[in-house]
Amino acid sequence: MDTCIKKIRELSAELLEKGEVQKVIGFAQGTIPMATSPIAIESKQDTEKLVFNSTCGLNLANYASKQKGKVAIIAKGCDSRNIVTHIVENQIQRDQIYIIGVPCTGMVDKSKIATLFEDEITGFTEDGNTLRVTSSSREEILKKQDYLRENCLYCTHKNPILYDVLATELVEEQMLEKPFPDVDRIEALDTDAKWQHFENLTKNCIRCYACRNACPLCYCPTCFVDEAGPQWVGKGQNKTDVNTFHYLRAFHCAGRCTDCGACVEACPMGINVRDFTRKLNKDALELFGWEAGLDITKRPPLDAYSPEDPDDFIK
Amino acid sequence: MKFITIDKKNWTKGIDKSRGTYRLFGPVKDKNWCMIKELDGDILPDMEYNESVMSAKSVLFPQSETILNTSLNESVEDHHIMKRAKNDYTARAVLGIRPYDAKAIQLVKMNFDTKEYKDPYWCDAYEATTFVGMAITKPGPFDFSTSVDSGPFCEEGLDILLADLDDSFIAKILTPKGESFAAACGFDSTIDDKESQALFDILRKEAEKNINCRVETDKLKEKNLLDLHGASFWDDLAFSCINCGTCTYVCPTCWCFDIQDEAKLKESSRFRNWDTCMSPLFTRHATGHNPRGVKVQRVRQRFMHKLKYFLDKYDQGIMCVGCGRCVKSCPVNIDIREVCHTMNTYEKKD
Ligand code: SF4
Ligand code: SF4
Ligand code: SF4
Ligand code: SF4
């Protein structure tokens, strides 16, 4: 993936120079190891600031729809699917966005890497499939494959779905016999154990809503948790209120979530909120044969009428 | 001020002994995280933790706290009249608090405990609390506490400061509160003051040497407030922010809260929750007007408050103790060290 950055910079510089776009939205290197930061580049010189590596785990579609004028955006497979969703949901027009697609080899799980060390990580570099991670006490050489984020591990759309240009060669997509082994595991639990699983999952939640704010689907001008008239959900740390936020947000994402993992990437408390959304992704696939963000002409299943609907009441 | 030594073999017994008189709080490992929690039952504090993802401010200022209660049942006397909630203000001790977190509580105190106003909930909790600090011998790479009048052995706001000597702790007893706590634990082996202080000084210097991160704040005071407010860098700086407020929730010095009322059947309570200036709701008026309606205004507020308004108002340094939590937890890596540098070196171009 390192080689694609040259191409990304070239393409960006060209687009800006020709005035085809006002901004290029990409990632800049962070100030601490394994951190990158979304950035909007407006001049040719600044394209040097762009980076692309296995720590670019946030979803840039979230930034594209809030811009004026035409913008270019660096899009991994999942970002491109959220751009498709944005177009279908009228958050952005196709001709307002120029997509520099990046076929993706996966993003790393930063907290999994952090748990290898007793102290803080002070350095991180990558070369192909090799990660070199250092702390003040030691160094670890890791295989990237072993430290992918869970959503990247199960990703079957690494290549951008929609793009104007590619920054590198397409990669091979994987076929999964069981696309939702994580959900299967939770489904196999008995009711009490399942309840306990979700109780444990959210017990450290501080309701910062980083998961929601990092999510490209959560663009409502006023989220239901923030609504005051009427107030749908309590604002304190009461368990029921905390969980209500999580359950309802997951349902609002049903049939729209691309499992990009930005929510988990953003959560300061290491909570795998994907345990909620993944179940609904599985249902969408099993009930409607639907995966979000694959087709710019189709509306999501909960937003469309079909005589093939599996539920009788709708006919 | 005196020093005592505590053999680690006696630590647990002593701590357990204090449970008769103190509610204990301290760092607890939770999967990959360390959290500051109440040490219910026989849970022991993890004194070797590197840092806790959330600070110790919650011991005095919980994320949600009931402050008033009333009954809506009209047959009850004083129905609909809010009365102070019966919270527990018996003696409590927070064990293993980091020196920068204890210093942060002193900064928060400037807001909750003033000549004109006293926040009764915070002040009563503060009165009830003994702060048993753990000196930092291995500072993390994001720790810049020495740049902001704190540091790995900073004693400000502490009643006891412990230093880890492998088999034992040396405890520097700093206040009468600290003395009472040590007595409640039965820790009483006093040791030579001069020698112990000399040892503390050596350990402190060594720890301070390991802090590689330095942030300059010296010019912030002389900068014109409106120039900084109107500076052109805010837009770029705010671009990536998702306004999640994580930076303010993890921050030991952020003190903002919101008030909510809730009723269940005939019982009603008023409570406060942490709030964050990063949220659009923070300033939204009942009319719908929002004086900080756009993201850049909120990002600017956070940094202006911490690095300029607070400094100008109290003249006690900036509202940051250099713990580095926000640097590490921000999902988009907005780094207060960089922002501080940008503000400190800002020159207005005419
Ligand atoms: S980001 Fe994490 S802590 Fe914040 S609201 Fe979401 S799950 Fe809770
Ligand atoms: S943690 Fe970062 S993204 Fe979240 S509000 Fe703070 S600065 Fe913005
Ligand atoms: S502003 Fe950041 S570094 Fe400073 S005290 Fe708060 S969390 Fe720590
Ligand atoms: S930075 Fe924001 S949340 Fe923190 S104390 Fe200041 S206004 Fe409150």
Side-chain angles (χ1 to χ4, degrees), chain A residues 32-233:
Chain A
I32 64 175
M34 297 199 288
T36 50
S37 187
I39 190 173
I41 301 287
E42 292 177 52
S43 73
K44 191 183 162 198
Q45 306 81 278
D46 282 351
T47 53
E48 287 303 310
K49 292 187 187 155
L50 290 169
V51 298
F52 194 84
N53 56 43
S54 311
T55 66
C56 297
L58 287 175
N59 191 325
L60 293 180
N62 203 19
Y63 292 87
S65 54
K66 292 161 191 154
Q67 299 301 320
K68 290 192 195 81
K70 185 161 179 167
V71 295
I73 180 174
I74 318 297
K76 310 183 282 289
C78 48
D79 305 51
S80 80
R81 289 172 65 195
N82 282 99
I83 294 169
V84 169
T85 308
H86 270 169
I87 295 170
V88 172
E89 297 180 4
N90 292 320
Q91 292 306 303
I92 194 164
Q93 304 300 315
R94 177 66 185 95
D95 57 11
Q96 252 185 295
I97 186 160
Y98 186 96
I99 306 167
I100 304 176
V102 185
C104 176
T105 54
M107 295 292 133
V108 295
D109 183 335
K110 295 166 190 172
S111 45
K112 188 170 171 188
I113 296 177
T115 52
L116 295 174
F117 296 86
E118 299 73 42
D119 48 355
E120 292 282 353
I121 290 167
T122 50
F124 175 92
T125 54
E126 61 181 306
D127 184 8
N129 194 27
T130 311
L131 311 176
R132 187 183 293 265
V133 194
T134 46
S135 79
S136 55
S137 58
R138 67 201 162 80
E139 178 180 82
E140 290 272 354
I141 309 286
L142 309 170
K143 278 214 213 72
K144 174 170 153 179
Q145 274 311 313
D146 301 338
Y147 288 89
L148 287 180
R149 302 189 302 185
E150 196 187 48
N151 62 310
C152 297
L153 214 55
Y154 303 143
C155 173
T156 51
H157 300 284
K158 297 173 187 298
N159 293 309
I161 297 295
L162 182 71
Y163 52 85
D164 294 291
V165 62
L166 283 177
T168 173
E169 308 269 288
L170 293 174
V171 294
E172 196 183 328
E173 299 285 8
Q174 58 178 348
M175 298 291 283
L176 297 173
E177 216 165 286
K178 282 198 163 79
F180 295 94
D182 49 336
V183 184
D184 298 340
R185 265 196 305 278
I186 301 170
E187 282 176 343
L189 299 172
D190 66 38
T191 313
D192 288 342
K194 221 182 273 174
W195 182 252
Q196 207 45 54
H197 174 82
F198 290 107
E199 291 281 297
N200 283 342
L201 185 68
T202 56
K203 77 168 189 286
N204 285 339
C205 175
I206 55 170
R207 291 187 84 172
C208 62
Y209 305 136
C211 47
R212 174 198 70 185
N213 294 9
C215 175
L217 305 173
C218 286
Y219 53 68
C220 292
T222 306
C223 175
F224 75 96
V225 289
D226 292 336
E227 187 58 75
Q231 184 166 325
W232 301 108
V233 52

Side-chain angles (χ1 to χ4, degrees), chain B residues 23-40:
Chain B
R23 273 169 76 197
L24 299 182
F25 293 78
V28 184
K29 264 249 158 64
D30 187 333
K31 285 188 284 182
N32 315 332
W33 306 96
C34 184
M35 304 280 284
I36 308 289
K37 287 195 169 148
E38 181 154 12
L39 305 171
D40 291 320

Side-chain angles (χ1 to χ4, degrees), chain A residues 30-32 37-40 58 63 67 115 118 120 203-204 206 208 210 213 231 234-237 268-270, chain B residues 30 32-33 35 50 63-64 141-142 239-240 242-244 246 249 260 262 273 281 328 331-333 335 337-338:
Chain A
T31 60
I32 64 175
S37 187
I39 190 173
L58 287 175
Y63 292 87
Q67 299 301 320
T115 52
E118 299 73 42
E120 292 282 353
K203 77 168 189 286
N204 285 339
I206 55 170
C208 62
N213 294 9
Q231 184 166 325
K235 304 244 186 186
Q237 283 302 98
M269 307 306 289
Chain B
D30 187 333
N32 315 332
W33 306 96
M35 304 280 284
N50 285 325
Q63 183 163 8
S64 280
F142 314 126
F239 173 78
S240 62
I242 59 171
N243 268 177
C244 60
T246 296
Y249 288 167
Q260 290 277 321
E262 271 180 17
N273 297 318
L281 285 187
K328 212 183 142 194
V332 301
N333 185 231
D335 187 331
R337 300 170 302 175
E338 306 253 305

